[in-house]
Amino acid sequence: MAEKVIQFGIIGLGYIGTGVAKNFLNHQNLIRSRSGVGIVLKKVADVNLCNREKVPLGNECFVEDAKQIIDDPEIPIVVELIGGTGVAKDFIIKALLNGKKVVTANKALIAEYGKEIMAAMEKSKSGELFFEGSVGGGIPVIKVLREGFIGNEIKDITAIINGTSNYILSDMEKNGVPFERALKSAQKKGFAEADPTFDVEGTDSAHKIAILGALAFGTWIDYKKIYVEGIAGITNQDILYARRLGYKIKLLAIARKGGEGLEVRVNPALLDLHHPLSAVDGAYNAVHIKGFPVGSSMLYGMGAGEDPTSSAIISDIVDAAQSISFSSGRKQVYSLSDHDIVLADKMSWQSRYYLRIQADDKPGVLAKVAGILGENNISLSTVLQLDESTGRTVPVIMLTHMAVEKDVVNACSSMEKIDCIKGKVMIIRVLTENDK
Ligand code: HSE
């Protein structure tokens, strides 16, 4: 019997689109023999086809109008790689309503409009959505949550899911490079978003944790309600002080069940060197998952870049083709509740904290600071005052025991009001080995 061939089209021939096309064509035979399905790249669409030379396809395969893919009855799989939340959304919804399988790596779109997109998918009989490439580059974390851990109650996801920020923090730590230079280097290597503020201000991580949290906890999470703090305020000094105390600073994305409800946030944190996430450096990503019955588990891999991301997208293309080939209708079920969950109030969070103050170097200052902390139920575990005085004032670093966010915010605002403390208190949350 002749093998059934399933065709797909790529919309968007940018960095990732070019990578997917090249890597797919290079591995086409391997994919056929492993999947049992003949898959063919029929068309590639982009208004700007400047990268066409990099893709070994005939001229007839390149088109400028995405409609030539979305409306082509011979193309059941549409791969959207133009990014952004504008036309990409219209293309995806139209393709789903046309009954197509849609593959995308567009995390901003899924995080912001996932509910609307899935509603379009539900409306169509065979429309199906795949988005493995949206989180963690080459790490198959969505498959793990949806399939590998399907029998688990997930309790906690703590992840490093922005390669650019992780690269910057690692470069600052290892090479003493200032923030701006490390960012330029990450951009040059192709890790950063078109607008790198999405990376360093934590928006990209928020998009991704909204997606992982939704899959793990079965409910949409309004990503705009996620507390987000980026890494732009982290100094080389904070990294050095943290290291002296036995910690590394990482940008973490967290979704976990706490006493007060689901806690979802993105913030830099001091990570105990014994925590497995502390070993994740450079553009690598890792997702640490605690579930029952599985226990603790960590997925690790390259989180950004053309090749790793294309690995995830190609896996989705094969899943889509197998769904067409081996089943009738739709295989993917996401079962997300229609209601956005109410997230736990930030002021109720509990953590250990790193506090850095710039204080006058004279008697009685620490007593005042300790007094304020005590009045706010905060107990110190470590105090570090370094020799490197900048004149009249010195940095003093304190690590607290577990404390409630509200108490820490109040204490810091009181400290900032006393004369012997200059400027703002630097507050960074601390994740310890016990949080594994
Ligand atoms: N800009 C993203 C990152 C790319 O740095 O992780 C992958 O989503």
Side-chain angles (χ1 to χ4, degrees):
M1 200 171 79
E3 181 188 58
K4 189 175 172 199
V5 167
I6 294 172
Q7 307 195 89
F8 75 99
I10 297 176
I11 305 176
L13 192 58
Y15 194 55
I16 302 295
T18 310
V20 171
K22 275 192 319 199
N23 283 315
F24 173 80
L25 294 169
N26 281 339
H27 296 98
Q28 199 162 5
N29 292 336
L30 177 79
I31 292 167
R32 174 180 282 125
S33 70
R34 283 191 178 156
S35 68
V37 188
I39 308 173
V40 170
L41 173 53
K42 187 181 180 197
K43 282 182 201 164
V44 179
D46 202 316
V47 282
N48 178 351
L49 287 164
C50 60
N51 284 334
R52 66 195 286 170
E53 304 302 326
K54 297 183 190 157
V55 179
L57 279 176
N59 274 342
E60 69 289 356
C61 298
F62 295 98
V63 296
E64 285 179 358
D65 188 353
K67 284 203 197 88
Q68 291 193 46
I69 292 177
I70 297 168
D71 293 331
D72 184 336
E74 288 179 357
I75 298 183
I77 303 173
V78 174
V79 182
E80 178 279 312
L81 297 173
I82 46 180
T85 51
V87 285
K89 180 179 156 214
D90 301 336
F91 289 164
I92 287 182
I93 290 182
K94 178 82 193 327
L96 286 170
L97 292 174
N98 280 356
K100 313 245 181 217
K101 312 294 176 194
V102 175
V103 175
T104 180
N106 194 331
K107 58 244 159 162
L109 191 60
I110 303 296
E112 276 193 57
Y113 299 105
K115 211 191 282 183
E116 195 180 331
I117 291 169
M118 293 229 186
M121 169 175 126
E122 300 296 338
K123 239 195 242 170
S124 84
K125 191 161 166 281
S126 57
E128 212 168 345
L129 184 69
F130 301 81
F131 46 93
E132 185 64 69
S134 63
V135 182
I139 306 172
V141 60
I142 290 178
K143 214 178 235 292
V144 165
L145 281 174
R146 297 200 53 250
E147 297 179 15
F149 288 177
I150 195 164
N152 279 269
E153 184 198 340
I154 305 295
K155 296 178 184 304
D156 180 313
I157 298 182
T158 299
I160 293 172
I161 36 179
N162 183 266
T164 302
S165 302
N166 205 43
Y167 178 90
I168 291 172
L169 292 172
S170 303
D171 207 14
M172 286 171 77
E173 182 186 348
K174 285 205 176 114
N175 307 315
V177 170
F179 177 87
E180 286 302 335
R181 232 175 74 201
L183 170 60
K184 283 218 172 74
S185 159
Q187 283 177 292
K188 239 198 212 151
K189 289 178 189 276
F191 305 141
E193 296 299 296
D195 176 354
T197 58
F198 272 47
D199 296 296
V200 297
E201 288 178 2
T203 315
D204 181 73
S205 293
H207 287 144
K208 293 168 177 169
I209 197 69
I211 297 172
L212 294 184
L215 296 173
F217 300 106
T219 176
W220 288 105
I221 294 168
D222 180 351
Y223 105 93
K224 292 198 186 88
K225 298 208 173 111
I226 296 176
Y227 173 78
V228 181
E229 201 182 295
I231 60 164
I234 303 290
T235 64
N236 290 79
Q237 275 68 31
D238 287 316
I239 291 174
L240 277 176
Y241 301 150
R243 197 57 205 236
R244 242 163 125 147
L245 293 162
Y247 296 84
K248 278 193 190 180
I249 299 183
K250 298 283 179 194
L251 182 67
L252 298 183
I254 298 172
R256 67 176 168 210
K257 283 184 183 163
E260 307 284 326
L262 193 63
E263 195 178 305
V264 187
R265 58 187 158 100
V266 175
N267 59 247
L270 264 73
L271 262 180
D272 182 333
L273 290 177
H274 295 103
H275 195 293
L277 284 169
S278 73
V280 178
D281 286 330
Y284 279 90
N285 281 195
V287 185
H288 188 270
I289 303 172
K290 275 198 257 183
F292 184 79
V294 72
S296 287
S297 175
M298 191 169 96
L299 306 161
Y300 168 86
M302 271 300 279
E306 168 184 5
D307 288 339
T309 309
S310 67
S311 159
I313 294 165
I314 290 169
S315 139
D316 273 352
I317 295 168
V318 175
D319 262 0
Q322 286 180 323
S323 173
I324 296 166
S325 202
F326 303 143
S327 68
S328 55
R330 185 161 50 225
K331 181 180 145 230
Q332 302 282 331
V333 181
Y334 292 101
S335 312
L336 296 176
S337 133
D338 269 353
H339 303 289
D340 288 340
I341 195 159
V342 178
L343 300 180
D345 180 2
K346 170 179 182 279
M347 290 302 173
S348 72
W349 299 347
Q350 294 194 29
S351 176
R352 293 184 63 211
Y353 292 81
Y354 162 103
L355 307 175
R356 171 172 52 78
I357 54 174
Q358 193 68 24
D360 284 346
D361 196 10
K362 62 181 189 194
V365 172
L366 274 185
K368 277 191 192 159
V369 169
I372 292 174
L373 293 171
E375 282 158 23
N376 286 284
N377 314 308
I378 300 165
S379 161
L380 288 175
S381 71
T382 311
V383 178
L384 183 67
Q385 179 179 326
L386 297 152
D387 306 327
E388 48 215 72
S389 168
T390 53
R392 277 185 57 246
T393 67
V394 284
V396 178
I397 291 91
M398 295 166 283
L399 287 186
T400 75
H401 286 297
M402 283 304 267
V404 179
E405 179 94 5
K406 174 166 71 64
D407 293 334
V408 172
V409 170
N410 287 339
C412 291
S413 118
S414 299
M415 279 192 261
E416 283 162 8
K417 287 187 190 118
I418 56 177
D419 282 350
C420 49
I421 307 289
K422 311 295 173 213
K424 303 279 289 174
V425 180
M426 178 67 165
I427 309 174
I428 310 178
R429 294 174 194 84
V430 179
L431 205 75
T432 60
E433 198 189 357
N434 297 335
D435 293 315
K436 264 193 295 190

